[in-house]
């Protein structure tokens, strides 16, 4: 888009110069050369507004407008071209695109002003001055404004993405300077025509005085801006320290609340992890229903603490291995009142207390403790009622096995409108139906068994155990261990299994075992056949490779269900053919798939932020250290990047040395924190390489209307600016390139 705009400006400049040549009745070549040289000198003596501003002020406009009066439209256009070309002397090695843009723009300005002056019948200095001459000068100046300002504003908007109001702030003082330059330029031209070179020379001293005044003004403004920047930086530093302290306090409070919920859950071994799980799902449902972030937070905290009142219920009742009697059930029902009384005394927890108090109220008014109904029940409590009941349905109990996904969905449908808010049920059922692994939640009884009992005691087999003398807990085992349900769906994995596959346990939960197998012939057979003897298979890793492992499987029994415990002994790791949409080297999405995912996210009208990350000097690394080292650096970066992403964020390799991250519900500050964490961890991940991997980054927040390509283009502007800034910091002797563009 920018290249097309620049090309259009250049072509327009050529066209206007041609029209100016036709409109100039006779050419005074000597005068044209003098004005061209004067315009070039005036431009070289220009003054930058500030050290880091892309705008500068020069006296060339006065010379160009003087040329309008003396040598006509064509001479004015040539003077503009010479002035733009002379900028190369002020800025060595300028960008070709900028140089071409400035040449086209200056030719347009000079030619348009000359044509307007000529069309209005301007004869300033040639005959007795008349009102027509004043109108002609005004027409020339108006033509300059009409041409120059829209083009300048347009190129700045396209290359920086800044709002028009901010761009106006950079330009609002310029009309005064332009009017002064116009007055000097028109009278300079008249003096030349009336008195020759001697008359024109009289204007040299005023022009130099104007330049010196501008230099002193901009220098003073620059110092003031530097002071403001320093003060702003100090304020930012103080604000960041405050934000960090608040974030640390929030993290501490979050940890304390989760610890409190875990302590409460621990009193009931069949609700192990129940509150955290319910909180995660409650937040998801609240966001899907369009609640604001405050209500989402209240709902999450209400779900996390909904069983707080069980601290006042007898542990013998909570852990009773059978159904409760009517009297025992009445005692349990008091936990809603107890939780409300505990939380309502805490500042800022009044709304959370209401959720805790009401999470067992039924939509039709038959619930407890108050018997309220419908919209009288807080929305957070209506959400918590559904998600905590669902988590309870899928968990095993001593007197029953957890429900299947279809049974859970049917139970929710049956209770919609009576026990539960039908809108909440519809929303949560939609989430569960779209991804069934949500219904294979952490099984409470299984969690307790795995965390408290040696693996060797859980495995029940005839004859010697194929696991040997394993006398350690599930989580402490050094070998990868997977737990599958009777349908061969993953329900648990130990840390060693996470390391072997590259997947985190939450990503593994709910996956069918066949999804991890590398080829179809390794996916067949019933559990009894599949695990009847040790066998070697290829497991798909998160990075796209295949881990060749030897499996040994055995039944695992809890008090109410049967599982398969699978021990994997790693053999080797081999490259794998990746599926469509995956970059074969790094294992992240490729550019095409990333574009598809971005379009899908935009269709949902989400708050999106795009981050671009470049590996600086990858071609030089490849040339100096070889392909193996450069590839290892890219792989390490992809691993670090993947480890720092939040849930639902999408990473992709979109170029030879470039990665992109699409962050959902994120701000530019969130993007900056991710990039910082990646940069902090990358040195450790690449310490064995012969070279140092350095990064540049850029980001842009989606405005809700632009395409993926336009969003990427804006992020690229930021990224390229960072590269230029870093280069200037490394070589301070090089001037910062600035121009009217």
């Amino acid at each position: 888009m920018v290249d097309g705009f620049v090309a259009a400006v250049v072509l327009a400049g050529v066209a206007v110069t041609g029209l100016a040549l036709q409109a100039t009745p006779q050419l005074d070549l000597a005068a044209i050369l003098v004005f061209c040289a004067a315009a070039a000198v005036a431009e070289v003596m220009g003054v930058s507004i500030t050290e880091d501003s892309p705008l500068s002020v020069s006296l060339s406009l006065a010379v160009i407008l003087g040329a309008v009066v003396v040598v006509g439209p064509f001479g004015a256009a040539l003077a503009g071209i010479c002035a733009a070309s002379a900028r190369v002397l002020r800025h060595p090695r300028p960008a070709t695109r900028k140089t071409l843009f400035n040449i086209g723009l200056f030719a347009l300005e000079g030619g348009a002003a000359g044509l307007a002056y000529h069309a209005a019948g301007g004869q300033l200095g040639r005959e007795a001055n008349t009102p027509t001459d004043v109108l002609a000068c005004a027409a020339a100046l108006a033509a300059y404004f009409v041409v120059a300002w829209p083009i300048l504003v347009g190129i700045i908007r396209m290359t920086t993405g800044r709002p028009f109001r901010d761009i106006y702030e950079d330009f609002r003082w310029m009309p005064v300077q332009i009017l002064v330059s116009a007055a000097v330029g028109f009278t300079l031209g008249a003096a030349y025509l009336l008195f020759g070179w001697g008359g024109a020379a009289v204007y040299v001293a005023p022009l130099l005085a104007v330049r010196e005044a501008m230099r002193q003004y901009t220098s003073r403004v620059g110092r003031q801006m530097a002071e403001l920047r320093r003060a702003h930086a100090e304020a930012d530093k103080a604000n960041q320290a405050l934000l960090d302290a608040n974030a640390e306090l929030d993290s501490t409070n979050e940890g304390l609340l989760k610890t409190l919920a875990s302590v409460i859950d621990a009193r009931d071994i069949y609700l192990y992890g129940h509150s955290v799980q319910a909180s995660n799902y409650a937040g998801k449902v609240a966001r899907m229903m369009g609640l604001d972030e405050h209500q989402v937070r209240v709902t999450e905290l209400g779900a996390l603490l909904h069983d707080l009142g069980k601290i006042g219920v007898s542990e013998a009742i909570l852990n009773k291995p059978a159904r409760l009697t009517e009297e025992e059930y009445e005692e349990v029902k008091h936990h809603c009142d107890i939780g409300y009384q505990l939380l309502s005394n805490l500042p800022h927890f009044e709304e959370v207390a209401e959720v805790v108090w009401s999470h067992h109220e039924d939509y039709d008014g038959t619930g407890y403790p108050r018997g309220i109904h419908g919209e009288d029940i807080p929305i957070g409590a209506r959400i918590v009622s559904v998600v905590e009941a669902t988590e309870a349905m899928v968990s095993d109990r001593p007197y029953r096995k957890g429900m299947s996904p279809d049974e859970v969905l049917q139970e929710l449908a049956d209770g919609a409108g009576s026990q539960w808010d039908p809108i909440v049920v519809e929303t949560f059922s939609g989430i569960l139906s779209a991804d069934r692994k949500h219904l294979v939640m952490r099984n409470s009884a299984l969690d307790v068994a795995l965390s408290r009992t040696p693996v060797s005691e859980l495995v029940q087999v005839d004859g010697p155990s194929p696991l040997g003398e394993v006398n350690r807990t599930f989580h402490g085992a050094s070998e990868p261990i997977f737990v599958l349900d009777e349908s061969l769906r993953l329900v648990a994995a130990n840390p060693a299994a996470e390391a072997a596959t590259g997947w985190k346990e939450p990503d593994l939960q709910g996956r069918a075992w066949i999804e991890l197998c590398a080829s179809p012939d390794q996916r067949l057979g019933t559990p009894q056949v599949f695990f009847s003897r040790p066998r070697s298979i290829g497991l798909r890793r998160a990075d796209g490779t295949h881990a060749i492992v030897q499996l040994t499987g055995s039944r695992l029994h809890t008090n109410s269900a049967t599982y398969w415990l699978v021990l994997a002994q790693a053999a080797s790791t081999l490259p794998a053919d990746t599926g469509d949409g995956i970059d074969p080297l790094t294992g992240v999405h490729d550019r095409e798939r990333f574009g598809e995912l971005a379009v899908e996210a935009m269709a949902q009208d989400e708050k999106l932020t795009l981050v671009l990350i470049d590996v600086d000097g990858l071609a030089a690394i490849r040339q100096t250290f070889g392909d193996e080292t450069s590839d290892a650096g890219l792989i390490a970066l992809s691993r670090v990047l993947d480890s720092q992403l939040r849930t639902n964020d999408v990473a992709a390799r979109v170029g030879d040395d470039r990665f992109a991250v699409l962050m959902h519900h994120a701000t530019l500050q969130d993007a900056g924190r991710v990039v910082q964490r990646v940069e902090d961890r990358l040195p450790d991940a690449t310490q064995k390489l012969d070279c140092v991997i350095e990064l540049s980054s850029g980001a842009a927040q989606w405005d809700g209307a632009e395409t993926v390509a336009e969003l990427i283009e804006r992020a690229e502007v930021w990224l390229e600016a960072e590269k230029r800034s870093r280069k200037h910091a490394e070589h301070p002797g090089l001037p910062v390139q600035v121009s009217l563009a």
Side-chain angles (χ1 to χ4, degrees):
M1 181 181 293
V2 175
D3 289 340
F5 186 81
V6 171
V9 171
V10 172
L11 291 175
V14 172
V16 168
T17 302
L19 291 175
L21 177 60
Q22 294 178 359
T24 304
Q26 58 183 8
L27 302 178
D28 185 344
L29 296 180
I32 289 175
L33 290 175
V34 169
F35 273 93
C36 285
V41 171
E43 184 61 35
V44 171
M45 296 176 65
V47 178
S48 295
I49 297 174
T50 63
E51 293 182 358
D52 58 355
S53 173
L55 301 174
S56 60
V57 179
S58 73
L59 302 176
S60 61
L61 177 59
V63 178
I64 293 170
L65 294 178
V68 166
V69 174
V70 177
V71 293
F74 182 65
L78 289 182
I81 293 173
C82 291
S85 302
R87 297 181 73 86
V88 176
L89 300 177
R90 289 179 57 201
H91 310 297
R93 292 180 292 178
T96 302
R97 187 170 68 180
K98 286 186 178 181
T99 300
L100 291 174
F101 173 82
N102 286 325
I103 290 174
L105 178 61
F106 277 43
L108 270 173
E109 293 170 353
L115 289 171
Y117 180 83
H118 177 75
Q123 295 292 325
L124 189 67
R126 299 182 185 276
E127 301 175 359
N129 294 334
T130 66
T132 301
D133 295 325
V134 176
L135 292 176
C137 291
L141 189 59
Y144 168 83
F145 273 107
V146 169
V147 170
W149 279 51
I151 293 176
L152 276 175
V153 171
I155 194 68
I156 292 175
R157 170 68 177 176
M158 283 190 288
T159 55
T160 66
R162 296 170 58 196
F164 289 112
R165 178 177 297 179
D166 290 352
I167 298 174
Y168 169 75
E169 290 296 320
D170 288 341
F171 281 92
R172 64 178 182 175
W173 58 272
M174 290 184 66
V176 175
Q177 182 265 334
I178 291 173
L179 289 173
V180 172
S181 296
V184 173
F186 288 131
T187 53
L188 167 65
Y192 173 85
L193 291 174
L194 291 172
F195 306 110
W197 292 112
V202 172
Y203 280 83
V204 173
L207 284 173
L208 293 177
V210 170
R211 180 193 181 276
E212 180 61 19
M214 287 191 300
R215 187 194 66 78
Q216 292 183 7
Y217 171 76
T218 55
S219 177
R220 183 170 66 253
V221 170
R223 288 193 299 271
Q224 292 173 347
M225 292 182 67
E227 289 293 331
L228 287 174
R229 279 195 294 268
R230 280 194 293 270
H232 184 66
E234 291 176 0
D236 278 350
K237 186 176 180 180
N239 288 336
Q240 188 58 50
L242 183 59
L243 289 174
D244 290 343
N246 286 336
E248 185 175 350
L249 182 59
D250 287 344
S251 177
T252 301
N253 289 338
E254 183 82 10
L256 288 173
L257 290 173
K258 287 185 176 180
T259 299
L260 176 60
S262 297
V263 169
I264 296 163
D265 285 357
R267 300 188 70 245
D268 183 345
I269 63 171
Y270 303 110
L271 293 180
Y272 187 82
H274 166 74
S275 296
V276 173
Q277 185 80 298
S279 179
N280 292 337
Y281 284 101
K284 184 182 290 287
V285 174
R287 288 189 176 89
M288 288 289 290
M289 292 182 65
L291 272 62
D292 61 46
E293 282 303 312
H294 172 72
Q295 282 296 320
V296 170
R297 185 61 179 155
V298 168
T299 303
E300 288 176 334
L301 289 176
L304 186 66
L305 301 172
H306 72 278
D307 278 337
L308 176 63
K310 287 187 177 179
I311 198 169
V313 179
S314 167
E315 193 164 343
I317 294 177
L318 294 177
N319 293 327
K320 183 178 179 179
R323 292 188 180 276
L324 301 180
T325 65
E326 187 173 336
E327 293 77 13
E328 291 168 337
Y329 183 53
E330 286 298 322
E331 182 174 345
V332 170
K333 287 165 65 174
H334 288 307
H335 78 279
C336 296
D337 296 307
I338 297 171
Y340 172 75
Q341 291 166 6
L342 291 172
L343 289 173
S344 60
N345 293 324
L346 298 177
H348 312 301
F349 270 75
E350 294 84 357
E351 291 179 83
V352 177
E354 287 287 339
V355 173
V356 170
W357 198 13
S358 307
H359 74 277
H360 276 295
E361 299 286 359
D362 290 345
Y363 196 71
D364 61 4
T366 60
Y368 64 88
R370 292 176 291 167
I372 58 178
H373 63 87
E375 302 295 321
D376 293 337
I377 306 171
I379 181 61
R382 282 179 266 152
I383 293 173
V384 172
S385 177
V386 173
V387 298
E388 73 96 16
T390 301
E391 204 281 332
M393 290 181 211
V394 300
S395 295
D396 291 342
R397 293 294 186 267
Y399 46 86
R400 63 151 174 85
K401 190 179 184 300
M403 294 183 182
S404 69
D406 289 336
E407 290 172 334
V408 171
L409 291 171
Q410 186 59 54
E411 187 76 13
L412 290 174
D414 292 343
S418 55
Q419 184 173 355
W420 300 299
D421 183 336
I423 297 178
V424 176
V425 169
E426 180 182 1
T427 303
F428 194 35
S429 296
I431 295 172
L432 300 178
S433 299
D435 187 354
R436 288 298 186 92
K437 80 173 185 177
H438 287 303
L439 283 170
V440 188
M441 300 179 179
R442 280 190 178 277
N443 186 286
S444 304
L446 177 60
D447 259 346
V448 174
L450 293 178
S451 63
R452 300 182 181 181
T453 311
V455 173
S456 57
E457 295 180 16
L458 289 173
V459 178
Q460 300 176 9
V461 296
D462 297 328
S465 168
L467 295 176
E469 295 300 319
V470 181
N471 190 22
R472 55 177 63 91
T473 64
F474 174 77
H475 290 89
S478 60
E479 295 289 352
I481 301 177
F482 305 90
V483 179
L484 317 177
D485 64 14
E486 291 179 300
S487 301
L488 288 187
R489 190 172 291 274
L490 281 155
V491 294
N494 72 340
E498 292 182 351
T501 62
W503 301 97
K504 295 296 183 182
E505 188 181 8
D507 297 320
L508 287 172
Q509 284 178 10
R511 287 181 179 270
W513 178 256
I514 61 173
E515 294 180 15
L516 290 183
C517 294
S519 61
D521 62 323
Q522 297 168 348
R523 306 176 182 181
L524 305 176
T526 63
Q528 290 80 3
V529 173
F530 192 91
F531 297 121
S532 62
R533 59 180 175 81
R535 64 173 61 201
S536 293
I537 72 165
L539 286 182
R540 294 184 185 274
R541 290 173 46 85
D543 61 9
T545 61
H546 292 164
I548 308 303
V549 298
Q550 186 177 52
L551 299 181
T552 306
S554 183
R555 287 183 181 275
L556 183 153
H557 298 279
T558 67
N559 54 2
S560 59
T562 298
Y563 299 90
W564 285 91
L565 186 145
V566 180
L567 175 68
Q569 294 178 307
S572 62
T573 301
L574 300 177
D577 294 328
T578 58
D580 292 341
I582 300 298
D583 176 61
L585 175 64
T586 61
V588 298
H589 294 295
D590 59 20
R591 185 183 184 97
E592 182 177 356
R593 180 56 180 156
F594 179 80
E596 295 171 353
L597 294 172
V599 169
E600 292 174 6
M602 289 175 174
Q604 298 176 12
D605 198 25
E606 293 187 7
K607 182 179 181 181
L608 304 172
T609 296
L610 174 73
V611 183
L612 293 180
I613 298 178
D614 262 6
V615 178
D616 293 337
L618 182 65
I621 292 174
R622 183 172 285 121
Q623 183 176 1
T624 305
F625 300 97
D627 290 343
E628 184 175 347
T629 298
S630 64
D631 288 350
L634 291 173
I635 292 171
L637 173 57
S638 69
R639 301 293 183 277
V640 172
L641 186 60
D642 184 68
S643 70
Q644 298 308 310
L645 296 184
R646 310 169 313 162
T647 303
N648 297 329
D649 290 349
V650 177
R653 185 183 179 198
V654 295
D656 184 44
D657 61 350
R658 179 168 295 181
F659 290 78
V661 179
L662 189 68
M663 302 180 65
H664 295 245
H665 303 290
T667 63
L668 291 175
Q669 288 75 17
D670 296 328
R673 284 191 284 270
V674 169
V675 172
Q676 186 61 56
R677 292 198 299 268
V678 171
E679 290 181 335
D680 290 344
R681 288 161 176 77
L682 188 59
D684 290 337
T686 58
Q687 60 181 343
K688 294 184 179 180
L689 300 183
D690 297 327
C691 60
V692 176
I693 303 295
E694 295 184 340
L695 308 176
S696 294
S697 62
Q701 195 162 26
W702 185 47
D703 65 6
E706 60 194 344
T707 64
V708 177
E710 291 169 341
L711 180 61
I712 291 176
E713 184 176 355
R714 282 207 296 118
E716 287 176 339
V717 170
W718 185 336
L719 188 147
E720 294 302 325
E722 178 176 318
K723 286 187 175 181
R724 289 195 299 270
S725 176
R726 180 174 296 177
K727 182 178 180 181
H728 180 68
E730 294 171 351
H731 306 284
L734 295 177
V736 177
Q737 296 185 15
V738 295
S739 72
L740 283 169

